[in-house]
Amino acid sequence: MPRAARWLVPLLLLLLWLGAGAVCGPYAGRLGEVSTNDQAAFLPRSAESTKVLDERARFDREESLPAVLVWTAEDGGRLGAGAREAATRALGRAAGTDGVLGRPSPALPSKDGEALEGVVPLRPGLGDRLPDTLDAIRAQAEKVPGTTVGIAGPAATQADLSDAFAGIDGILLGVALVAVLVILLLVYRSVLMPFLVILSAVFALAVASALVYVLADHDVVRVDGQVRGILSILVIGAATDYALLLTARFREELTAHGDRFVAVRAALRRSAGAIAASGATVALGLLALLLSDLTNNRALGPVGALGIGCALLSAFTFLPAVLVLLGRAAYWPKRPVADGDRSGRSGLWPRVAGWVDRLPRRLWIATTVALLALAAFAPTLRSSGVPLDETFVGDASSVSAQRTLDRHFPGGSGQPAVILADADRADAVVRAARGVAGVDSAAPVGADGRPGGKPQIARGRVEIDATLEAAPDSGAAKDAVRALRTAVREAGGGSARVGGYTAQQIDTEDTAAHDRTLIVPVVLLIILAILIGLLRALLLPLLLVATVALNFAATLGVSSLVFRHVFGFTGTDASVPLYGFVFLVALGVDYNIFLMSRVREETAHHGAREGVLRGLVSTGGVITSAGVVLAATFAALGVIPLSFLAQIAFIVAFGVLLDTLVVRSLLVPALVRDLGRRAWWPSGIGRGRGDEAGLGGGAWRGR
């Protein structure tokens, strides 16, 4: 190739990426425009509660988003008729607020006389205007003398979610990038290279965000705050990992050859297979979420896979281009010197290799026993949903108001169970509902959307609201709804259905449990198939899959203890174990892919024993760095004050570190060293002179 052409290709690639970054960059901050935080949009497709939601659209009235106001006396005493009249007038004034749909309810007193409750129906889809609407309603409600007021219900919860997710596009991204930059500065001990790696990740995220924006704007995918946050973290973490692997190999080849063009070609040739296999593992693992019946799971699948694809594209095009253009200057001030030395037999990792060489069986047995002991606690992790008062990390106004509401009114006030039944069986269904333990009251809903009075009939069906005694997110409420479903189905001739908030929680938990039994085996089979194709062996891929599964189980065990005794969580969201599995297993196997692809390369030349030791030493530093970077990026999710993201952050961050420092560093190398050539069955690899002649291993002793 002419010398000018050798420079032209990387220069064109660099210009293309600079242009893509300029055009696509703004979309990373615009995903909120096509996002929804309406949790009803993420219900199971085939669940009973979803069918109720769809059927309610047949009634000739607009759906509303209720805001439940609760007043209590400032001195903690009783509220008289004057306070009730003032609260009712305040509700009337709130009817003129932009975003209010229809007439608010009058203020109703609690049985103990210490609180008042009123419901203001809001128009769904207010989006960013919802907090302002609630502030305007609160301003009117605060005019009731001698009282304090709080706002609970779905509208208040959605507003607090919007406030929590408001930090995703700024705070989360900033924290993640700063954490990665600090780690890269320590890893490279270079000024320029960390910024090149960060730029590679930022470009990948910009392109991914633009593509997701277009798809979401055309209703091809759904995006919410959780998906946006995970997309940012996933792309930054994956792109940085791939960059670390490629730049480490480039530095090694540059040291051996001296010529930047030769070094880039060699680095790509020798690392592309492992990077591509790693990306395919994560992308296909995420796409397996399309098998889920939960809409938010299916949304994350293609969005996450698209992000991984952009990370791979950046690693294979932008990074090689800048490495060619900069050469050794990329590592300034500590430039690599061409001396042809590849041994790297000094430092920590040769000593680790020495332990693996001398005590392989003791190491893999000890680490396996330790991981099994941690995994024994995994069944204690409760994934039956998060109570409302644990949804947010720290306090939220909607949670405080809901606690006040629960103290003075039936727990299900403002979020009733919704029953749809045939009109000719309405009376029987109402009687059956009232007879269910845990149901405080039940009444048909009229044309104005309120229970009581003449029921509205649509296509021969009526709606009945059943107020539960317990809080709608409690175990008692879920038991009541399960009993309610049985009772009304019998009374309604088999056609009655129960929906509403509590029913949606039940259906989500049941669907999540079904998804785990379906998707977990699929992801494991995907990983196994990729490992078999990459390593061209059968036994070793089976062992690697077993080790990452064991690592996941151990992580769940530790998480159960930490969540309960350190963070104070009584349980996790139903989707947390599945998300944790997909991220941790798919990403965790990356490090085994990076390690074992290098081990296979070395084994082909030096034999099984020397191959595993050389592979461990060559990749030890870069893989550990990659693991720390990925753990730090996922830990950044903890800055968003939501328990779901905090739980995901801990599971993935801890699990990646456990995998990087224990499984990949000790368990896998010791197991492969102990098995020798048998690990590569049925391939014939590993019959190198170092094994057959008893050479090579002694070089690791005493290190």
Side-chain angles (χ1 to χ4, degrees):
M1 181 182 293
R3 183 176 179 83
R6 297 171 73 189
W7 292 100
L8 183 61
V9 172
L11 185 60
L12 286 175
L13 285 173
L14 177 60
L15 292 175
L16 283 173
W17 273 105
L18 290 173
V23 173
C24 300
Y27 287 95
R30 294 182 57 191
L31 281 180
E33 299 173 10
V34 291
S35 299
T36 175
N37 291 318
D38 179 9
Q39 297 306 295
F42 299 94
L43 295 174
R45 291 177 296 177
S46 60
E48 183 175 336
S49 58
T50 307
K51 294 175 182 176
V52 169
L53 200 63
D54 294 339
E55 192 176 347
R56 288 182 74 188
R58 300 175 183 175
F59 289 83
D60 188 20
R61 62 174 183 266
E62 289 189 76
E63 290 294 326
S64 65
L65 186 68
V68 184
L69 279 72
V70 56
W71 288 267
T72 54
E74 290 179 346
D75 59 5
R78 296 172 64 87
L79 294 175
R84 179 179 178 182
E85 292 172 2
T88 299
R89 288 195 299 270
L91 289 166
R93 292 192 299 269
T97 304
D98 180 42
V100 173
L101 180 67
R103 184 165 53 91
S105 72
L108 300 175
S110 61
K111 292 180 180 179
D112 59 16
E114 296 178 356
L116 296 169
E117 175 193 37
V119 179
V120 180
L122 303 183
R123 186 177 296 109
L126 288 174
D128 294 338
R129 292 184 295 151
L130 179 59
D132 293 336
T133 299
L134 291 179
D135 287 342
I137 293 172
R138 187 189 301 275
Q140 294 296 335
E142 288 175 342
K143 295 179 180 179
V144 179
T147 66
T148 58
V149 64
I151 304 179
T157 301
Q158 194 172 120
D160 283 341
L161 284 172
S162 297
D163 289 342
F165 286 131
I168 278 186
D169 296 326
I171 297 174
L172 174 62
L173 195 57
V175 169
L177 290 176
V178 169
V180 171
L181 179 60
V182 170
I183 294 170
L184 292 179
L185 287 170
L186 295 174
V187 169
Y188 284 111
R189 285 171 288 176
S190 162
V191 175
L192 186 56
M193 183 60 80
F195 287 97
L196 296 177
V197 172
I198 290 287
L199 195 59
S200 172
V202 169
F203 280 162
L205 179 59
V207 174
S209 298
L211 293 174
V212 171
Y213 181 95
V214 172
L215 294 176
D217 194 39
H218 289 81
D219 294 325
V220 178
V221 297
R222 282 188 180 273
V223 180
D224 69 349
Q226 293 175 357
V227 171
R228 286 159 54 201
I230 291 173
L231 173 66
S232 299
I233 293 302
L234 190 63
V235 173
I236 291 172
T240 305
D241 275 6
Y242 304 151
L244 279 165
L245 191 69
L246 181 63
T247 56
R249 197 64 191 250
F250 173 69
R251 182 177 188 132
E252 184 180 332
E253 298 296 337
L254 198 61
T255 301
H257 300 294
D259 184 274
R260 67 180 72 184
F261 294 97
V262 175
V264 165
R265 285 197 298 269
L268 278 173
R269 185 176 66 253
R270 295 176 184 273
S271 62
I275 294 174
S278 168
T281 300
V282 180
L284 292 175
L286 287 165
L287 288 175
L289 291 174
L290 290 171
L291 298 173
S292 172
D293 197 39
L294 288 172
T295 311
N296 55 340
N297 287 353
R298 295 198 316 279
L300 179 61
V303 169
L306 188 62
I308 292 297
C310 292
L312 286 172
L313 183 64
S314 176
F316 286 145
T317 56
F318 170 77
L319 211 54
V322 295
L323 291 178
V324 164
L325 293 173
L326 292 173
R328 292 185 182 83
Y331 296 93
W332 181 87
K334 193 175 181 180
R335 301 185 182 190
V337 179
D339 57 9
D341 180 26
R342 291 176 179 263
S343 63
R345 294 195 176 186
S346 62
L348 172 65
W349 291 102
R351 290 196 293 274
V352 175
W355 300 335
V356 169
D357 189 34
R358 293 191 299 274
L359 307 167
R361 189 162 299 178
R362 292 183 186 179
L363 274 178
W364 74 256
I365 290 176
T367 51
T368 300
V369 169
L371 291 171
L372 286 172
L374 296 177
F377 294 97
T380 65
L381 183 69
R382 291 181 62 253
S383 300
S384 55
V386 177
L388 180 62
D389 60 358
E390 293 181 13
T391 299
F392 301 92
V393 177
D395 205 5
S397 60
S398 62
V399 174
S400 299
Q402 186 64 47
R403 292 195 190 107
T404 302
L405 201 64
D406 293 343
R407 284 197 301 269
H408 300 286
F409 294 91
S413 295
Q415 300 198 59
V418 178
I419 306 168
L420 295 181
D422 292 337
D424 58 355
R425 292 179 176 267
D427 292 340
V429 170
V430 170
R431 287 194 299 270
R434 289 173 177 169
V436 173
V439 174
D440 181 76
S441 62
V445 176
D448 60 356
R450 295 176 183 166
K454 183 180 179 179
Q456 181 185 14
I457 301 175
R459 300 187 187 182
R461 302 279 278 178
V462 296
E463 177 182 337
I464 300 164
D465 279 2
T467 300
L468 306 176
E469 295 176 352
D473 56 356
S474 65
K478 293 172 185 176
D479 292 341
V481 167
R482 290 188 178 95
L484 185 63
R485 280 178 164 173
T486 301
V488 302
R489 192 175 295 116
E490 293 175 356
S495 62
R497 294 170 174 162
V498 179
Y501 178 82
T502 306
Q504 292 167 4
Q505 295 289 99
I506 293 172
D507 292 339
T508 299
E509 293 167 19
D510 292 345
T511 304
H514 171 267
D515 287 347
R516 288 195 295 270
T517 61
L518 173 64
I519 294 174
V520 166
V522 170
V523 173
L524 290 176
L525 287 174
I526 289 172
I527 293 173
L528 181 62
I530 291 174
L531 287 173
I532 290 173
L534 177 70
L535 301 178
R536 283 164 280 176
L538 183 58
L539 178 59
L540 184 56
L542 287 169
L543 294 174
L544 293 179
V545 169
T547 61
V548 294
L550 177 59
N551 180 71
F552 173 69
T555 300
L556 284 191
V558 173
S559 299
S560 178
L561 298 174
V562 171
F563 290 168
R564 187 183 307 116
H565 301 295
V566 178
F567 295 157
F569 295 135
T570 58
T572 72
D573 185 88
S575 297
V576 163
L578 181 60
Y579 276 32
F581 175 82
V582 171
F583 289 134
L584 189 52
V585 172
L587 292 169
V589 81
D590 282 3
Y591 304 121
N592 283 320
I593 287 175
F594 295 160
L595 169 65
M596 296 315 299
S597 60
R598 184 60 181 263
V599 169
R600 190 184 194 284
E601 179 185 333
E602 298 289 350
T603 298
H605 293 91
H606 303 285
R609 178 187 182 187
E610 185 78 1
V612 68
L613 303 176
R614 284 175 174 264
L616 179 59
V617 171
S618 299
T619 63
V622 65
I623 294 178
T624 301
S625 302
V628 172
V629 165
L630 190 63
T633 52
F634 266 90
L637 283 172
V639 303
I640 305 299
L642 291 171
S643 61
F644 174 86
L645 293 180
Q647 290 164 356
I648 291 292
F650 180 84
I651 288 174
V652 178
F654 179 84
V656 164
L657 291 176
L658 184 64
D659 182 84
T660 305
L661 301 177
V662 177
V663 175
R664 185 271 318 177
S665 299
L666 299 174
L667 174 56
V668 170
L671 190 58
V672 175
R673 167 69 180 85
D674 195 26
L675 288 171
R677 292 193 297 266
R678 292 170 295 177
W680 300 96
W681 180 87
S683 71
I685 189 175
R687 301 180 182 276
R689 289 185 304 170
D691 284 342
E692 293 175 357
L695 301 174
W700 305 100
R701 297 187 182 279
R703 295 285 185 181

